[in-house]
Amino acid sequence: MTNSNAPSRLNYQQQSPELMKKLVDIGMGIANSGHIDRGLSLLVDILASQLNGCAFCVDMHVKEAKLHGERELRLHHVAIWRESPLFTAKERAAFAWTDALTRIAPNGVTDELYAEVSAQFNDKELSTLTFRVATINAWNRLNVAFRTTPGIYDKAFGLDKAGLN
């Protein structure tokens, strides 16, 4: 376990701006595709970030979801989605897919899970959801590796308006 109070290591955004831009472009392409609901995308981002222990991303995406109108109790229940009655079958399928792709098992993704997710998402949506999970995992790994301080960009991103500081 890492010390969340430890100082940031380096600013990867300044060190590799051209790569940062490409990752932002991928994220914007996914967000603007219209294939996955914005609210669901944010919940997926929160879950993957929780699984990866990325304080920066959990902080950011909870604030984004709140600004997007997500109910606070559902935000608290993301961590316990399997037991919570607050999520739809489609959201549960997305969470199971996110979990499986974030913590890839030695035997990969089961046919049963693929069938479950395919029953909730068409091919285009499932492809986009998979890119979403892959992208948030990339962000998580960058922010965990370099200990990006949670909330550091709140004002710049308008996240201070969530009232969660």
Side-chain angles (χ1 to χ4, degrees), residues 15-26:
Q15 298 303 313
S16 303
E18 67 288 347
L19 298 175
M20 171 74 180
K21 182 183 179 332
K22 290 183 185 305
L23 196 53
V24 167
D25 288 346
I26 290 170

Side-chain angles (χ1 to χ4, degrees), residues 77-87 92:
H77 277 226
V78 170
I80 56 162
W81 68 270
R82 283 183 174 84
E83 294 83 21
S84 176
L86 301 181
F87 301 107
R92 289 176 179 287

Side-chain angles (χ1 to χ4, degrees), residues 40-68:
L40 177 57
S41 294
L42 291 169
L43 294 174
V44 162
D45 289 349
I46 292 166
L47 178 60
S49 300
Q50 289 172 337
L51 293 171
N52 287 320
C54 184
F56 175 83
C57 291
V58 169
D59 180 83
M60 177 168 52
H61 297 303
V62 164
K63 291 171 183 171
E64 282 181 309
K66 176 107 166 86
L67 288 170
H68 186 71

Side-chain angles (χ1 to χ4, degrees), residues 10-21 24 56 139 142-143 146 148 152-153 157:
L10 66 80
N11 186 327
Y12 65 87
Q13 298 174 21
Q14 290 176 348
Q15 298 303 313
S16 303
E18 67 288 347
L19 298 175
M20 171 74 180
K21 182 183 179 332
V24 167
F56 175 83
W139 284 116
L142 287 163
N143 289 303
F146 299 117
T148 308
I152 194 169
Y153 300 116
F157 295 159

Side-chain angles (χ1 to χ4, degrees), residues 64-163:
E64 282 181 309
K66 176 107 166 86
L67 288 170
H68 186 71
E70 186 56 72
R71 294 185 349 240
E72 285 191 48
L73 186 57
R74 281 174 39 101
L75 294 174
H76 291 290
H77 277 226
V78 170
I80 56 162
W81 68 270
R82 283 183 174 84
E83 294 83 21
S84 176
L86 301 181
F87 301 107
T88 66
K90 187 170 191 168
E91 290 167 333
R92 289 176 179 287
F95 292 161
W97 192 247
T98 300
D99 189 289
L101 296 178
T102 300
R103 299 190 281 196
I104 295 177
N107 60 343
V109 177
T110 67
D111 290 339
E112 293 79 18
L113 177 56
Y114 183 77
E116 176 188 339
V117 176
S118 294
Q120 296 294 326
F121 294 90
N122 67 38
D123 291 350
K124 181 74 77 178
E125 291 170 333
L126 183 52
S127 177
T128 303
L129 175 62
T130 304
F131 272 98
R132 182 78 187 204
V133 173
T135 303
I136 189 59
N137 274 282
W139 284 116
N140 291 164
R141 280 147 178 77
L142 287 163
N143 289 303
V144 168
F146 299 117
R147 293 184 183 150
T148 308
T149 304
I152 194 169
Y153 300 116
D154 280 6
K155 194 155 193 80
F157 295 159
L159 300 176
D160 54 330
K161 293 175 182 62

